[in-house]
Amino acid sequence: MEHPGVYHHRGFTSVIYDFEILLHMVSGGTLMVFIITAIAVLILSYDLTEEVPSSPSSSEKTPLTSSSSSLGKSKFLFTVAMSLFLGTAILLTALVAYANQSTRVIIFEVCLGLPILGSLAFIKWKVPLNDDEEQLTFKSPGKPFVPGFCVVINLFLLFHLEARALVQLLVYSAIGLFIYFGYGIFHSKITLAKQKKMDGIEASMEELVASSLDLDEIKPS
């Protein structure tokens, strides 16, 4: 037997939302999860780390410095290619969903498909794969084309939802992301570990200063 609060919650939800709008919002949330997962697969599949090498004693570049500079360049190129891909994909799917499909619009949509394919091909052949790819949690064949097409298809379906449901979904998602990242920045394990490390360094520095002051006081005049 269900708790009476469940019925109260269902009744309150049905008063605020139309059932069809609520159904579209649930579908939109699922599509957004697919999009985020596909983007995460793309990001995790490629080596975007940047190592900070120690400055070499000679003016010649060491293999470490050249490797680090190439990794930094790969991260920049990947960011540019992904930005072009996502921006073009959003524009293309929005046009297909909302614009009147005249001949000029169709030609423009076909032209928009070229940057999408070009950016994915650029990532494929110019950005190095992650060396620890076998240890990745998310895997996909045919990277980056299969995850990229997954993003495009789910964006296409997302823009075919009810307009009011899509707006409400975006607003609630923005609020949820703000709360998530706002809390995570100050309470994540990485941040807490860094803060603990910094506190330990500060405590060690204070002890060192205090011990040096004590030594100065002990010295005979």
Side-chain angles (χ1 to χ4, degrees), residues 49-71:
T49 57
E50 291 188 67
E51 299 177 4
V52 180
S54 57
S55 57
S57 57
S58 63
S59 58
E60 298 181 357
K61 289 186 177 180
T62 63
L64 182 60
T65 57
S66 60
S67 173
S68 301
S69 61
S70 63
L71 286 175

Side-chain angles (χ1 to χ4, degrees), residues 15-35:
V15 170
I16 296 178
Y17 297 104
D18 181 75
F19 178 75
E20 186 175 356
I21 297 296
L22 189 61
L23 185 63
H24 280 246
M25 289 179 62
V26 173
S27 301
T30 305
L31 294 173
M32 288 187 67
V33 170
F34 290 155
I35 293 170

Side-chain angles (χ1 to χ4, degrees), residues 105-183:
V105 173
I106 293 175
I107 294 174
F108 183 64
E109 290 170 355
V110 172
C111 293
L112 284 177
L114 298 178
I116 293 177
L117 294 175
S119 57
L120 292 177
F122 182 85
I123 293 173
K124 171 71 175 179
W125 283 290
K126 292 297 182 181
V127 182
L129 284 170
N130 194 344
D131 294 335
D132 299 329
E133 187 180 4
E134 294 183 355
Q135 301 178 1
L136 295 177
T137 304
F138 297 106
K139 294 185 179 181
S140 171
K143 291 186 292 287
F145 296 103
V146 172
F149 292 152
C150 176
V151 172
V152 174
I153 293 171
N154 284 284
L155 280 172
F156 174 78
L157 296 175
L158 189 65
F159 281 118
H160 277 79
L161 296 177
E162 193 75 29
R164 197 176 75 178
L166 184 58
V167 171
Q168 291 181 0
L169 175 65
L170 293 177
V171 171
Y172 292 146
S173 299
I175 295 173
L177 289 173
F178 176 78
I179 295 173
Y180 177 80
F181 286 107
Y183 179 85

Side-chain angles (χ1 to χ4, degrees), residues 48 50 71-81:
L48 307 176
E50 291 188 67
L71 286 175
K73 184 179 179 181
S74 299
K75 183 176 182 179
F76 173 75
L77 294 176
F78 180 85
T79 303
V80 172

